[in-house]
Amino acid sequence: MNKVLKLMAYLITGVLVLEPTSFGVEEKPTSQELLNPGKDHWLHYYGNYAAWRYSELDQINKTNVKDLVPVCAFQPGGNAIDEGLEATPIVYEGILYLSTSWNRVYALDASTCKVIWSYFYKYPKEINTFFIPYNRGVAIGDGKIFMGTIDGYLVALSMKDGKEVWKTQVDDWTKNGNNITGAPLVVKDKVIVGTTGGELPIRGFIAAYYLKDGKEAWRFYTIPDKSKNEPGSETWGGDSWRTGGGGGWMTGSYDPQLNLVYWGTANPAPDYDWGEARPGDNLYTSSILALDPDTGKLKWYFQENPHDPLDFDSTWESVLIDTKDGRKLLVHPNKGGWVNVLDRTNGKYVSGFAMIDNLDWFSGVDKNGRLLNVRAPKLGEKFFNCPSTGGGRSWNAGAYNPKTGIWFTNGIEWCQETTVRKESPITVPQAQTFFSADLVARPAVKGETGGHIDAWDPLTGKNKWRVKEKYPTLSSFLATAGGLIFYGDAEGNAKALDQDTGETLWSFNAGSGHRGGPVTYTVKGIQYVAIPSGWGSKVVGLYPQLWPETENWKNSATLFIYGLKR
């Protein structure tokens, strides 16, 4: 099919057809299925390549959601409850694939929770990296399930029985101290992963591996090599680039028409600069990168937070939106509480807006989106800033409804007292955390301390409605064609809200706070909603400073599957 005919077919049907792949016969789900997942499956961490977390399913809707009941529940048990259940499941042809802490993977009947197979990764017992033991999800493609591990490997499992097909070392945790906690992204014949590293004196990176055999295809370091005069290395003073941190620990997006992968990068190290640790803008940290998925070459970048002084990195989701007037946009929430809207063809700034009320670390942006009058802590002084290091929102993702153009997400109103200190990077025998600050959470200055759920028009920055919550939500969101938003709150309630008003139409006490991502799918023509429940993660450690009662909230891990009462 020639390019003109393919484009005409896409404009008429909304289904993109690519040329047959050049890497041999594919197993299901194929690259074509990943491009056009359909409404019966949930094939990506974000539901689709555009990071919408939206489903066309509407059997469960505003009229009947009151009749939603638990169909089954699955508890992995053991140490899988450590740091809670942070993953978003993948669902294909009636089978749900769930990862847990300590790199366990389960294949479940998606309508009964019956275990089909399980895989327990054999991690080194002496592992001592900062980023353990949680895992945020798997990827699927070519008959395999892909997972990054807490000791820096990428494994491919057979969808049929969970047996290892291949295992590839991405980085050496015994030297660099980093690993992989985010869900991989499968694009064509490759699987792409980003590493942790913003809190470590290393050079983080994003890398791609061939689906068939796990061989490395390319690697892009988020810290340019100054010894080779790589572009961007001039933004690092002295030898600070050697210990600059970065990485890309969450999951990227993909535009098949532009053939670009969009990946957010982590903060520079040390997280808090006392004034002389890392002079310059520190490219390509705290940035959005557009990479060629075939070669890993950088096509453009947009640095949201030059010289990031407060650990406000850019690893959150990149939501891809096509407007009615033909613009191709990218909507990106920064951890610091500001949302950037970019032209995703070239990375140019279009607009931006604040997603929280307590935002005081910069005064605005110029016409190119560069932050103005950025405030930074100084050595020997206590520095007050909003939001706290937990962010104006955590890494949990919002949901976008393409029919209404509304983006649903949450915000957090809290502040902190920051005291920076000098710290020398430790790189041998193993890289150690390079943080350089002491932090104390403080109440919000404007309004109530806590969280809120919001409906935004990302093109105008206008807020359609806001629902306040005492404890900030850490669950991802799911929007459906049934007019609903699904998520789980911190107190343990799985919820469905009316997309038009924010009114709670349904709730169920799941027994523990939520950290993972809800998904929806069908089995034998019946719609289900799966919502992981299980309180935990690093950011939860901040809560007792503002809400002492949360000190006693326990870690847990349960996947609930809900369906209409029949």
Short mmCIF file of all heavy atoms in Angstrom, two decimals, residues 475-528:
data_model
loop_
_atom_site.label_atom_id
_atom_site.label_comp_id
_atom_site.label_asym_id
_atom_site.label_seq_id
_atom_site.Cartn_x
_atom_site.Cartn_y
_atom_site.Cartn_z
N SER A 475 -3.13 7.22 42.88
CA SER A 475 -3.55 6.28 41.85
C SER A 475 -3.55 6.95 40.48
O SER A 475 -3.78 8.16 40.37
CB SER A 475 -4.96 5.78 42.17
OG SER A 475 -5.63 5.29 41.03
N SER A 476 -3.31 6.16 39.44
CA SER A 476 -3.54 6.66 38.09
C SER A 476 -5.04 6.67 37.80
O SER A 476 -5.84 6.16 38.58
CB SER A 476 -2.80 5.79 37.07
OG SER A 476 -1.41 5.94 37.19
N PHE A 477 -5.41 7.25 36.67
CA PHE A 477 -6.81 7.44 36.31
C PHE A 477 -7.16 6.68 35.04
O PHE A 477 -6.29 6.37 34.22
CB PHE A 477 -7.12 8.93 36.14
CG PHE A 477 -7.03 9.72 37.41
CD1 PHE A 477 -5.80 10.14 37.89
CD2 PHE A 477 -8.15 10.02 38.16
CE1 PHE A 477 -5.68 10.86 39.08
CE2 PHE A 477 -8.07 10.73 39.35
CZ PHE A 477 -6.83 11.15 39.81
N LEU A 478 -8.43 6.41 34.87
CA LEU A 478 -8.98 5.76 33.68
C LEU A 478 -10.25 6.48 33.29
O LEU A 478 -11.16 6.64 34.11
CB LEU A 478 -9.29 4.29 33.97
CG LEU A 478 -10.19 3.55 32.97
CD1 LEU A 478 -9.49 3.37 31.63
CD2 LEU A 478 -10.62 2.19 33.54
N ALA A 479 -10.34 6.95 32.05
CA ALA A 479 -11.55 7.56 31.52
C ALA A 479 -12.19 6.61 30.51
O ALA A 479 -11.48 5.93 29.77
CB ALA A 479 -11.24 8.90 30.86
N THR A 480 -13.52 6.57 30.47
CA THR A 480 -14.21 5.67 29.55
C THR A 480 -15.28 6.40 28.75
O THR A 480 -15.72 7.49 29.13
CB THR A 480 -14.88 4.50 30.30
OG1 THR A 480 -16.04 4.99 31.00
CG2 THR A 480 -13.92 3.85 31.29
N ALA A 481 -15.71 5.76 27.66
CA ALA A 481 -16.79 6.31 26.85
C ALA A 481 -18.12 6.26 27.58
O ALA A 481 -19.10 6.85 27.12
CB ALA A 481 -16.88 5.56 25.53
N GLY A 482 -18.17 5.56 28.71
CA GLY A 482 -19.37 5.54 29.53
C GLY A 482 -19.53 6.78 30.39
O GLY A 482 -20.42 6.83 31.26
N GLY A 483 -18.65 7.78 30.19
CA GLY A 483 -18.76 9.03 30.93
C GLY A 483 -18.20 8.97 32.33
O GLY A 483 -18.52 9.81 33.18
N LEU A 484 -17.31 7.98 32.59
CA LEU A 484 -16.80 7.74 33.94
C LEU A 484 -15.30 7.94 34.03
O LEU A 484 -14.57 7.79 33.05
CB LEU A 484 -17.14 6.32 34.38
CG LEU A 484 -18.62 5.94 34.41
CD1 LEU A 484 -18.79 4.44 34.61
CD2 LEU A 484 -19.34 6.72 35.52
N ILE A 485 -14.85 8.26 35.25
CA ILE A 485 -13.43 8.26 35.60
C ILE A 485 -13.27 7.27 36.74
O ILE A 485 -13.93 7.40 37.77
CB ILE A 485 -12.95 9.63 36.08
CG1 ILE A 485 -13.31 10.73 35.08
CG2 ILE A 485 -11.45 9.61 36.33
CD1 ILE A 485 -13.26 12.10 35.70
N PHE A 486 -12.39 6.31 36.57
CA PHE A 486 -12.08 5.35 37.63
C PHE A 486 -10.71 5.66 38.22
O PHE A 486 -9.76 6.01 37.49
CB PHE A 486 -12.08 3.92 37.09
CG PHE A 486 -13.45 3.40 36.73
CD1 PHE A 486 -13.90 3.47 35.42
CD2 PHE A 486 -14.27 2.84 37.70
CE1 PHE A 486 -15.16 2.98 35.08
CE2 PHE A 486 -15.53 2.37 37.37
CZ PHE A 486 -15.97 2.43 36.06
N TYR A 487 -10.60 5.52 39.53
CA TYR A 487 -9.32 5.64 40.22
C TYR A 487 -9.51 5.11 41.63
O TYR A 487 -10.61 4.70 42.02
CB TYR A 487 -8.83 7.09 40.25
CG TYR A 487 -9.53 7.98 41.24
CD1 TYR A 487 -8.90 8.37 42.43
CD2 TYR A 487 -10.81 8.46 41.01
CE1 TYR A 487 -9.54 9.19 43.35
CE2 TYR A 487 -11.45 9.28 41.92
CZ TYR A 487 -10.82 9.64 43.09
OH TYR A 487 -11.45 10.45 44.00
N GLY A 488 -8.45 5.10 42.43
CA GLY A 488 -8.55 4.71 43.83
C GLY A 488 -7.93 5.76 44.72
O GLY A 488 -6.88 6.31 44.39
N ASP A 489 -8.58 6.07 45.84
CA ASP A 489 -8.03 7.12 46.69
C ASP A 489 -7.07 6.56 47.73
O ASP A 489 -6.87 5.34 47.85
CB ASP A 489 -9.15 7.96 47.32
CG ASP A 489 -9.96 7.22 48.38
OD1 ASP A 489 -9.51 6.18 48.90
OD2 ASP A 489 -11.08 7.70 48.70
N ALA A 490 -6.48 7.46 48.51
CA ALA A 490 -5.46 7.07 49.48
C ALA A 490 -6.04 6.30 50.66
O ALA A 490 -5.34 5.53 51.31
CB ALA A 490 -4.73 8.32 49.98
N GLU A 491 -7.33 6.49 50.93
CA GLU A 491 -7.96 5.85 52.08
C GLU A 491 -8.45 4.44 51.77
O GLU A 491 -8.98 3.76 52.66
CB GLU A 491 -9.10 6.70 52.59
CG GLU A 491 -8.66 8.04 53.14
CD GLU A 491 -9.81 8.85 53.72
OE1 GLU A 491 -10.14 8.64 54.90
OE2 GLU A 491 -10.37 9.67 52.97
N GLY A 492 -8.34 4.02 50.52
CA GLY A 492 -8.71 2.65 50.17
C GLY A 492 -9.99 2.50 49.39
O GLY A 492 -10.46 1.38 49.18
N ASN A 493 -10.57 3.61 48.93
CA ASN A 493 -11.83 3.55 48.19
C ASN A 493 -11.59 3.57 46.68
O ASN A 493 -11.01 4.52 46.15
CB ASN A 493 -12.73 4.73 48.57
CG ASN A 493 -13.04 4.77 50.04
OD1 ASN A 493 -13.64 3.85 50.58
ND2 ASN A 493 -12.61 5.82 50.72
N ALA A 494 -12.02 2.50 46.01
CA ALA A 494 -12.07 2.52 44.55
C ALA A 494 -13.28 3.36 44.17
O ALA A 494 -14.36 3.20 44.74
CB ALA A 494 -12.19 1.11 44.00
N LYS A 495 -13.13 4.25 43.16
CA LYS A 495 -14.20 5.20 42.86
C LYS A 495 -14.46 5.32 41.36
O LYS A 495 -13.57 5.09 40.54
CB LYS A 495 -13.85 6.59 43.40
CG LYS A 495 -13.84 6.70 44.92
CD LYS A 495 -13.57 8.15 45.34
CE LYS A 495 -13.67 8.32 46.84
NZ LYS A 495 -13.44 9.73 47.23
N ALA A 496 -15.69 5.72 41.06
CA ALA A 496 -16.07 6.13 39.71
C ALA A 496 -16.72 7.50 39.82
O ALA A 496 -17.68 7.68 40.57
CB ALA A 496 -17.03 5.14 39.07
N LEU A 497 -16.17 8.47 39.08
CA LEU A 497 -16.71 9.83 39.07
C LEU A 497 -17.39 10.12 37.75
O LEU A 497 -17.06 9.56 36.71
CB LEU A 497 -15.59 10.86 39.29
CG LEU A 497 -14.67 10.72 40.50
CD1 LEU A 497 -13.75 11.94 40.59
CD2 LEU A 497 -15.45 10.54 41.77
N ASP A 498 -18.34 11.05 37.81
CA ASP A 498 -18.99 11.57 36.61
C ASP A 498 -18.01 12.52 35.92
O ASP A 498 -17.57 13.50 36.52
CB ASP A 498 -20.27 12.31 37.01
CG ASP A 498 -21.10 12.77 35.83
OD1 ASP A 498 -20.52 13.17 34.80
OD2 ASP A 498 -22.34 12.76 35.94
N GLN A 499 -17.69 12.25 34.66
CA GLN A 499 -16.72 13.09 33.95
C GLN A 499 -17.21 14.54 33.81
O GLN A 499 -16.40 15.45 33.72
CB GLN A 499 -16.45 12.53 32.56
CG GLN A 499 -15.60 11.28 32.54
CD GLN A 499 -15.25 10.82 31.13
OE1 GLN A 499 -15.23 11.63 30.20
NE2 GLN A 499 -14.99 9.54 30.96
N ASP A 500 -18.51 14.75 33.79
CA ASP A 500 -19.04 16.09 33.56
C ASP A 500 -19.02 16.96 34.81
O ASP A 500 -18.91 18.19 34.71
CB ASP A 500 -20.48 16.00 33.03
CG ASP A 500 -20.56 15.33 31.67
OD1 ASP A 500 -19.65 15.57 30.85
OD2 ASP A 500 -21.51 14.57 31.44
N THR A 501 -19.11 16.33 35.98
CA THR A 501 -19.28 17.10 37.21
C THR A 501 -18.28 16.76 38.31
O THR A 501 -18.11 17.55 39.25
CB THR A 501 -20.69 16.89 37.78
OG1 THR A 501 -20.84 15.51 38.18
CG2 THR A 501 -21.75 17.23 36.74
N GLY A 502 -17.66 15.59 38.25
CA GLY A 502 -16.79 15.15 39.33
C GLY A 502 -17.52 14.47 40.47
O GLY A 502 -16.91 14.05 41.46
N GLU A 503 -18.83 14.32 40.34
CA GLU A 503 -19.63 13.68 41.39
C GLU A 503 -19.25 12.20 41.50
O GLU A 503 -19.07 11.51 40.50
CB GLU A 503 -21.11 13.80 41.06
CG GLU A 503 -22.03 13.10 42.06
CD GLU A 503 -23.48 13.09 41.62
OE1 GLU A 503 -23.79 13.67 40.55
OE2 GLU A 503 -24.31 12.49 42.33
N THR A 504 -19.15 11.71 42.74
CA THR A 504 -18.89 10.29 42.96
C THR A 504 -20.15 9.49 42.72
O THR A 504 -21.17 9.68 43.39
CB THR A 504 -18.39 10.04 44.40
OG1 THR A 504 -17.17 10.75 44.62
CG2 THR A 504 -18.13 8.55 44.63
N LEU A 505 -20.11 8.59 41.73
CA LEU A 505 -21.27 7.78 41.38
C LEU A 505 -21.18 6.36 41.95
O LEU A 505 -22.19 5.66 42.02
CB LEU A 505 -21.40 7.69 39.85
CG LEU A 505 -21.57 9.03 39.13
CD1 LEU A 505 -21.68 8.80 37.62
CD2 LEU A 505 -22.79 9.79 39.64
N TRP A 506 -19.97 5.96 42.34
CA TRP A 506 -19.78 4.61 42.88
C TRP A 506 -18.50 4.57 43.68
O TRP A 506 -17.52 5.27 43.36
CB TRP A 506 -19.68 3.61 41.73
CG TRP A 506 -19.23 2.22 42.12
CD1 TRP A 506 -20.01 1.20 42.61
CD2 TRP A 506 -17.89 1.70 42.07
NE1 TRP A 506 -19.23 0.09 42.86
CE2 TRP A 506 -17.93 0.36 42.54
CE3 TRP A 506 -16.65 2.24 41.69
CZ2 TRP A 506 -16.79 -0.44 42.61
CZ3 TRP A 506 -15.52 1.45 41.77
CH2 TRP A 506 -15.59 0.12 42.22
N SER A 507 -18.48 3.79 44.74
CA SER A 507 -17.25 3.57 45.49
C SER A 507 -17.30 2.21 46.16
O SER A 507 -18.38 1.68 46.44
CB SER A 507 -17.02 4.67 46.53
OG SER A 507 -17.99 4.61 47.55
N PHE A 508 -16.12 1.67 46.41
CA PHE A 508 -16.00 0.38 47.09
C PHE A 508 -14.76 0.42 47.96
O PHE A 508 -13.68 0.81 47.50
CB PHE A 508 -15.89 -0.76 46.07
CG PHE A 508 -15.66 -2.11 46.70
CD1 PHE A 508 -16.71 -2.83 47.24
CD2 PHE A 508 -14.37 -2.65 46.78
CE1 PHE A 508 -16.50 -4.07 47.84
CE2 PHE A 508 -14.15 -3.88 47.36
CZ PHE A 508 -15.21 -4.59 47.91
N ASN A 509 -14.90 0.03 49.23
CA ASN A 509 -13.77 0.03 50.14
C ASN A 509 -12.91 -1.20 49.88
O ASN A 509 -13.27 -2.32 50.24
CB ASN A 509 -14.26 0.04 51.59
CG ASN A 509 -13.13 0.22 52.59
OD1 ASN A 509 -11.97 0.02 52.26
ND2 ASN A 509 -13.46 0.62 53.80
N ALA A 510 -11.74 -0.97 49.28
CA ALA A 510 -10.84 -2.06 48.92
C ALA A 510 -9.89 -2.43 50.06
O ALA A 510 -9.09 -3.35 49.92
CB ALA A 510 -10.03 -1.68 47.68
N GLY A 511 -9.95 -1.69 51.16
CA GLY A 511 -9.19 -2.07 52.33
C GLY A 511 -7.80 -1.49 52.45
O GLY A 511 -7.18 -1.58 53.50
N SER A 512 -7.29 -0.89 51.38
CA SER A 512 -5.96 -0.29 51.41
C SER A 512 -5.88 0.79 50.35
O SER A 512 -6.58 0.73 49.33
CB SER A 512 -4.88 -1.36 51.14
OG SER A 512 -3.59 -0.78 51.10
N GLY A 513 -5.04 1.80 50.61
CA GLY A 513 -4.88 2.88 49.65
C GLY A 513 -4.40 2.38 48.29
O GLY A 513 -3.88 1.28 48.16
N HIS A 514 -4.57 3.23 47.27
CA HIS A 514 -4.27 2.83 45.89
C HIS A 514 -3.04 3.55 45.36
O HIS A 514 -2.85 4.74 45.61
CB HIS A 514 -5.46 3.15 44.98
CG HIS A 514 -6.70 2.37 45.31
ND1 HIS A 514 -7.50 2.67 46.40
CD2 HIS A 514 -7.27 1.30 44.70
CE1 HIS A 514 -8.51 1.81 46.45
NE2 HIS A 514 -8.39 0.98 45.42
N ARG A 515 -2.21 2.82 44.60
CA ARG A 515 -1.01 3.39 43.99
C ARG A 515 -0.88 3.01 42.52
O ARG A 515 -0.16 3.65 41.76
CB ARG A 515 0.23 2.90 44.76
CG ARG A 515 1.52 3.66 44.41
CD ARG A 515 1.40 5.12 44.79
NE ARG A 515 2.65 5.86 44.65
CZ ARG A 515 2.84 6.85 43.78
NH1 ARG A 515 1.89 7.18 42.93
NH2 ARG A 515 3.97 7.53 43.76
N GLY A 516 -1.56 1.95 42.09
CA GLY A 516 -1.44 1.46 40.72
C GLY A 516 -2.42 2.12 39.77
O GLY A 516 -3.02 3.16 40.06
N GLY A 517 -2.62 1.49 38.61
CA GLY A 517 -3.46 2.06 37.57
C GLY A 517 -4.63 1.17 37.20
O GLY A 517 -4.45 -0.02 36.91
N PRO A 518 -5.87 1.71 37.16
CA PRO A 518 -7.03 0.93 36.75
C PRO A 518 -7.07 0.74 35.24
O PRO A 518 -6.58 1.57 34.47
CB PRO A 518 -8.21 1.79 37.22
CG PRO A 518 -7.69 3.19 37.22
CD PRO A 518 -6.22 3.08 37.56
N VAL A 519 -7.65 -0.39 34.80
CA VAL A 519 -7.81 -0.68 33.37
C VAL A 519 -9.20 -1.27 33.16
O VAL A 519 -9.83 -1.76 34.10
CB VAL A 519 -6.75 -1.66 32.86
CG1 VAL A 519 -5.34 -1.11 33.10
CG2 VAL A 519 -6.88 -3.03 33.50
N THR A 520 -9.65 -1.25 31.91
CA THR A 520 -10.92 -1.89 31.58
C THR A 520 -10.77 -2.66 30.28
O THR A 520 -9.92 -2.34 29.43
CB THR A 520 -12.06 -0.85 31.49
OG1 THR A 520 -13.32 -1.52 31.36
CG2 THR A 520 -11.87 0.09 30.32
N TYR A 521 -11.64 -3.68 30.10
CA TYR A 521 -11.50 -4.61 28.98
C TYR A 521 -12.76 -5.47 28.95
O TYR A 521 -13.65 -5.34 29.81
CB TYR A 521 -10.26 -5.50 29.18
CG TYR A 521 -10.25 -6.17 30.53
CD1 TYR A 521 -10.87 -7.40 30.75
CD2 TYR A 521 -9.65 -5.56 31.63
CE1 TYR A 521 -10.90 -8.01 32.00
CE2 TYR A 521 -9.67 -6.15 32.90
CZ TYR A 521 -10.30 -7.37 33.06
OH TYR A 521 -10.33 -7.95 34.30
N THR A 522 -12.86 -6.36 27.96
CA THR A 522 -13.98 -7.29 27.91
C THR A 522 -13.47 -8.72 27.88
O THR A 522 -12.37 -9.01 27.38
CB THR A 522 -14.88 -7.07 26.67
OG1 THR A 522 -14.14 -7.38 25.49
CG2 THR A 522 -15.39 -5.65 26.61
N VAL A 523 -14.26 -9.61 28.44
CA VAL A 523 -14.06 -11.06 28.34
C VAL A 523 -15.40 -11.65 27.92
O VAL A 523 -16.41 -11.45 28.60
CB VAL A 523 -13.60 -11.68 29.67
CG1 VAL A 523 -13.45 -13.19 29.51
CG2 VAL A 523 -12.29 -11.06 30.13
N LYS A 524 -15.42 -12.30 26.77
CA LYS A 524 -16.64 -12.88 26.21
C LYS A 524 -17.75 -11.84 26.12
O LYS A 524 -18.91 -12.10 26.44
CB LYS A 524 -17.09 -14.09 27.05
CG LYS A 524 -16.09 -15.24 27.04
CD LYS A 524 -16.57 -16.41 27.88
CE LYS A 524 -15.56 -17.55 27.86
NZ LYS A 524 -16.00 -18.69 28.69
N GLY A 525 -17.35 -10.63 25.72
CA GLY A 525 -18.33 -9.58 25.47
C GLY A 525 -18.78 -8.82 26.70
O GLY A 525 -19.60 -7.91 26.60
N ILE A 526 -18.25 -9.14 27.88
CA ILE A 526 -18.65 -8.48 29.11
C ILE A 526 -17.53 -7.56 29.59
O ILE A 526 -16.37 -7.96 29.65
CB ILE A 526 -18.97 -9.52 30.21
CG1 ILE A 526 -20.13 -10.41 29.77
CG2 ILE A 526 -19.29 -8.84 31.53
CD1 ILE A 526 -20.42 -11.55 30.72
N GLN A 527 -17.88 -6.32 29.93
CA GLN A 527 -16.89 -5.35 30.38
C GLN A 527 -16.55 -5.55 31.85
O GLN A 527 -17.43 -5.75 32.69
CB GLN A 527 -17.37 -3.92 30.16
CG GLN A 527 -16.34 -2.86 30.56
CD GLN A 527 -16.83 -1.44 30.40
OE1 GLN A 527 -17.96 -1.20 29.97
NE2 GLN A 527 -15.99 -0.47 30.76
N TYR A 528 -15.25 -5.45 32.15
CA TYR A 528 -14.75 -5.50 33.53
C TYR A 528 -13.84 -4.29 33.77
O TYR A 528 -13.28 -3.72 32.82
CB TYR A 528 -13.96 -6.78 33.78
CG TYR A 528 -14.77 -8.05 33.67
CD1 TYR A 528 -14.88 -8.72 32.45
CD2 TYR A 528 -15.42 -8.58 34.77
CE1 TYR A 528 -15.62 -9.89 32.33
CE2 TYR A 528 -16.16 -9.76 34.67
CZ TYR A 528 -16.26 -10.40 33.44
OH TYR A 528 -17.00 -11.56 33.34
#
